[in-house]
Amino acid sequence: MRSLPLPVTLAVRLLPVGVLACVGWAWSSGPMSEPAAKDTHDAAPQTSSAPSSPSASVAAKSYAKPPEPCGTVDAKTVSSLVPGAKTAGKELAATDESVRRGCSWSALKGYDYRWLDVSFEVKGSDALAQQAYKDNSDAKASPLKGLGDEARVTSALTTKDKQDTRESVVTVRKGNVLVTVTYNGSDFESKGAPANDTVIKGARKAAGDAVAGLGSAG
């Protein structure tokens, strides 16, 4: 039976994976700024002092703020996707929690490393979120059905220092919220990585939990 204690060389290999995980989080931060609103009102003088209708002056906005991120992914999902991780997760630092929040889970079990993170970004309106989703589209992404208002998935295999890492990213728009889930993993014994289907299904499962965690709009 093989010895499981992590050798020093394996610990060194963990560093690039940690960096990749951070990159995954940076990617999952999505569009950091909202496009400037265009002035579509004519300059014609007002002929009446009556206030304009709410539908004309207030943009549609489904959600006011992000949810508690670490509570959106079910503990069973975390345990199955990231064996050995603490299901409570670790909330990621954010400059403005009223706009953006995220949570991550990671663990090394034996020689298998897994990372999962989820982020929520609230835009000022449904239209702004829809535009941001469109602006940050990836030509390599495949559409996903049954998640939010629109969703897509990408996957990629990278190799660094002869170590493979496979990552899948699911991006979902629901109302005025962009949800991004990143899931990746490596096998430090074989220097291989999980199968493509494994990481895609894992990311989609976590995304389903995260979108459900938004709750009802309002």
Side-chain angles (χ1 to χ4, degrees), residues 14 18 27 64 68 83 93-95 115 124 131-132 143 149-150 165 179-180 203 214:
L14 278 173
W27 194 100
E68 295 283 345
T95 55
W115 166 282
Q131 186 62 49
D149 297 315
E150 49 190 336
T165 298
V179 182
T180 305
L214 282 171

Side-chain angles (χ1 to χ4, degrees), residues 33-204:
S33 61
E34 298 176 358
K38 295 182 180 180
D39 187 359
T40 58
H41 296 284
D42 295 330
Q46 295 291 330
T47 58
S48 172
S49 59
S52 59
S53 64
S55 59
S57 60
V58 180
K61 183 175 181 180
S62 300
Y63 297 92
K65 61 182 181 179
E68 295 283 345
C70 294
T72 58
V73 181
D74 189 88
K76 291 183 179 180
T77 300
V78 173
S79 295
S80 65
L81 298 183
V82 192
K86 294 181 179 179
T87 57
K90 180 179 180 180
E91 183 157 0
L92 300 166
T95 55
D96 187 350
E97 292 187 355
S98 68
V99 174
R100 186 178 298 104
R101 296 183 73 175
C103 188
S104 70
W105 299 261
S106 62
L108 177 70
K109 186 172 183 180
Y111 290 89
D112 289 327
Y113 178 83
R114 296 291 184 273
W115 166 282
L116 171 68
D117 74 43
V118 57
S119 71
F120 299 87
E121 184 175 6
V122 176
K123 293 295 186 179
S125 69
D126 292 11
L128 286 172
Q130 188 174 23
Q131 186 62 49
Y133 180 90
K134 179 181 179 180
D135 290 344
N136 287 273
S137 61
D138 187 333
K140 297 180 180 180
S142 300
L144 284 176
K145 296 181 179 180
L147 284 176
D149 297 315
E150 49 190 336
R152 59 178 177 249
V153 60
T154 62
S155 64
L157 177 68
T158 59
T159 303
K160 185 171 183 179
D161 299 329
K162 299 181 179 180
Q163 172 63 60
D164 291 344
T165 298
R166 196 182 300 276
E167 177 174 282
S168 180
V169 178
V170 171
T171 306
V172 185
R173 181 187 70 82
K174 185 176 182 183
N176 63 314
V177 180
L178 298 177
V179 182
T180 305
V181 171
T182 303
Y183 181 50
N184 64 43
S186 301
D187 183 334
F188 290 111
E189 182 176 39
S190 68
K191 296 185 180 296
N196 190 53
D197 190 55
T198 298
V199 293
I200 289 177
K201 286 184 176 180
R204 193 190 190 291

